[in-house]
Amino acid sequence: MKERLDAIKEQALKQIQESLSPEKLNEVRVSILGKKGELTAVLKGMKDVAPEDRPKVGAIVNETRAEIEEALAKAKTKLESLALEAQMKAETIDVTLPAKRPARGHRHPNQIALEEMERIFTGLGYEVIESPEVEKDYYNFEALNIPADHPAKDEQDTFYINKEILLRTQTSGAQVHEMEKGHLPIRMICPGRVYRSDEVDATHSPVFHQVEGMVVDEKTTFADLKGTLTEFAKELFGEDTKVKFRPHHFPFTEPSAEMDVSCFKCGGKGCRFCKGEGWIEILGCGMVHPHVLEMSGIDPLKYRGFAFGVGLERIALLKYEIDDMRLMYENDARFLEQF
Ligand SMILES: [Zn+2]
């Protein structure tokens, strides 16, 4: 009997030590102390023990039982504290870790270019104004010296809402609105969206942005235009920038010109960026046509003015060396993050 009890105890202690989970430990407990457990079986066999030996055997059985129970309790406490430790470890907050930065928005390259242009022109005393995007045919064409039969008024390019209302194809209507107010002199720029029924490709979009500029005063000359736009180019592209004016034609200015800037990549020597030319075209300009002044109620014998129009995307694409205009409208965070 004694040997059997020792064997049960030894095996039980070994199994307890090898139990790595509370479930396993419980299995061990049931297999020894449960109703059908090994030790229980021994107790049931007590009736076969001679009466005089029973107290002695009973003491040994109880002692064995107590030892196994103690080992079980110890093992249970140990497993519980291990589990708690593991949980604490998993849920640890490392207060020395740097905090996660909140995602910050970025200004769009168009917006950066616009703010730069607004900074330059307000610095020269210009006012920034707004003008309607949904415009009367009169302000978009007729008052700018583009009568109904003029080739510049191509219906293929214009989004008409009805015969008289359209989505402006240029910001130049702002010139007319501003002149009609009659507050002279005028020094203004007008940035905004314009619409043309162009197919989308790397250099075209049905919606893009222009910045219109105009000065009307008593002594405004072409020299003022050149001086102003030269200063603008130097501010925008760097002090060493040179400019060149080429004769051109616009219905609402006379004379008219296109302005080129020396390539800011190669300094004018010619490179891939400027297609070997050394010059890059950036805007159209000219002296406000006397007929345009007259139509807006300004005496062309007393006042003269100059005007210019810049493609905002063109400036942004050049300045930030973006080679596909579509990137400007796709709102891809990976692209926008770079600015
Ligand atoms: Zn170049």
Side-chain angles (χ1 to χ4, degrees):
M1 183 63 96
K2 176 87 165 69
E3 285 82 43
R4 193 164 163 216
L5 283 170
D6 279 345
I8 291 173
K9 189 173 83 177
E10 202 176 310
Q11 202 203 348
L13 294 179
K14 190 166 172 274
Q15 282 179 346
I16 290 167
Q17 209 169 16
E18 284 169 358
S19 297
L20 296 176
S21 69
E23 294 77 22
K24 186 80 195 151
L25 203 59
N26 196 45
E27 276 173 33
V28 175
R29 191 183 61 79
V30 171
S31 73
I32 296 160
L33 305 177
K35 274 184 184 168
K36 291 175 182 170
E38 286 179 66
L39 200 65
T40 315
V42 174
L43 276 171
K44 280 177 184 163
M46 284 288 276
K47 62 181 186 296
D48 303 328
V49 176
E52 64 270 25
D53 289 337
R54 278 185 197 162
K56 204 180 158 201
V57 175
I60 297 170
V61 171
N62 282 336
E63 200 182 298
T64 306
R65 187 187 171 90
E67 273 183 59
I68 293 171
E69 277 178 344
E70 199 193 328
L72 277 167
K74 267 189 187 166
K76 193 175 172 225
T77 313
K78 196 181 162 196
L79 281 175
E80 277 170 358
S81 81
L82 278 175
L84 184 64
E85 207 172 290
Q87 192 190 357
M88 297 277 271
K89 223 171 191 172
E91 292 175 4
T92 298
I93 296 168
D94 183 352
V95 292
T96 65
L97 273 177
K100 276 185 190 164
R101 285 179 182 279
R104 287 176 63 186
H106 291 258
R107 283 186 304 162
H108 192 279
N110 254 350
Q111 184 63 22
I112 303 171
L114 175 60
E115 283 173 16
E116 181 74 0
M117 286 174 69
E118 288 183 345
R119 184 188 64 78
I120 295 168
F121 281 104
T122 51
L124 292 169
Y126 285 57
E127 198 185 344
V128 181
I129 65 147
E130 286 184 6
S131 188
E133 287 177 32
V134 180
E135 187 59 284
K136 286 183 176 162
D137 183 285
Y138 175 79
Y139 287 97
N140 196 72
F141 292 122
E142 210 178 315
L144 291 165
N145 230 5
I146 310 169
D149 56 354
H150 196 284
K153 189 184 172 179
D154 186 349
E155 294 194 11
Q156 298 297 315
D157 287 346
T158 309
F159 290 112
Y160 276 94
I161 290 166
N162 61 34
K163 258 182 103 92
E164 271 132 44
I165 312 284
L166 47 79
L167 298 180
R168 67 177 175 196
T169 60
Q170 50 187 358
T171 44
S172 305
Q175 294 184 27
V176 183
H177 285 292
E178 204 58 18
M179 286 189 289
E180 282 185 348
K181 286 182 194 162
H183 306 307
L184 295 160
I186 295 166
R187 274 182 193 78
M188 67 89 174
I189 58 167
C190 174
R193 274 187 286 268
V194 298
Y195 302 82
R196 292 186 197 173
S197 57
D198 278 328
E199 292 288 327
V200 176
D201 64 27
T203 53
H204 293 87
S205 162
V207 187
F208 57 102
H209 299 75
Q210 283 187 341
V211 180
E212 192 76 15
M214 184 168 75
V215 171
V216 177
D217 205 345
E218 290 184 28
K219 294 192 173 85
T220 308
T221 67
F222 200 87
D224 294 323
L225 178 156
K226 286 174 76 173
T228 302
L229 294 179
T230 304
E231 192 56 35
F232 164 63
K234 283 176 187 285
E235 279 278 325
L236 196 61
F237 295 113
E239 193 51 40
D240 298 329
T241 307
K242 293 181 187 66
V243 300
K244 178 169 86 173
F245 291 87
R246 285 178 290 101
H248 198 74
H249 173 78
F250 299 109
F252 38 94
T253 48
E254 180 60 36
S256 305
E258 279 188 329
M259 185 177 92
D260 296 347
V261 295
S262 54
C263 175
F264 45 85
K265 281 291 257 188
C266 64
K269 284 188 218 90
C271 68
R272 202 171 58 85
F273 198 66
C274 56
K275 299 188 182 77
E277 297 282 333
W279 295 95
I280 298 166
E281 179 202 322
I282 65 158
L283 59 83
C285 57
M287 298 304 289
V288 181
H289 198 293
H291 187 50
V292 170
L293 290 173
E294 206 171 13
M295 277 190 286
S296 297
I298 292 174
D299 182 357
L301 296 176
K302 195 176 173 203
Y303 287 96
R304 282 178 295 185
F306 69 78
F308 54 89
V310 191
L312 188 57
E313 277 83 354
R314 177 144 185 83
I315 298 294
L317 294 176
L318 283 171
K319 207 165 156 57
Y320 307 113
E321 297 177 34
I322 304 161
D323 53 13
D324 192 326
M325 193 161 157
R326 285 168 288 199
L327 288 167
M328 303 285 266
Y329 310 116
E330 283 169 354
N331 272 340
D332 188 330
R334 291 167 300 180
F335 167 74
L336 295 173
E337 259 168 17
Q338 300 171 40
F339 302 94

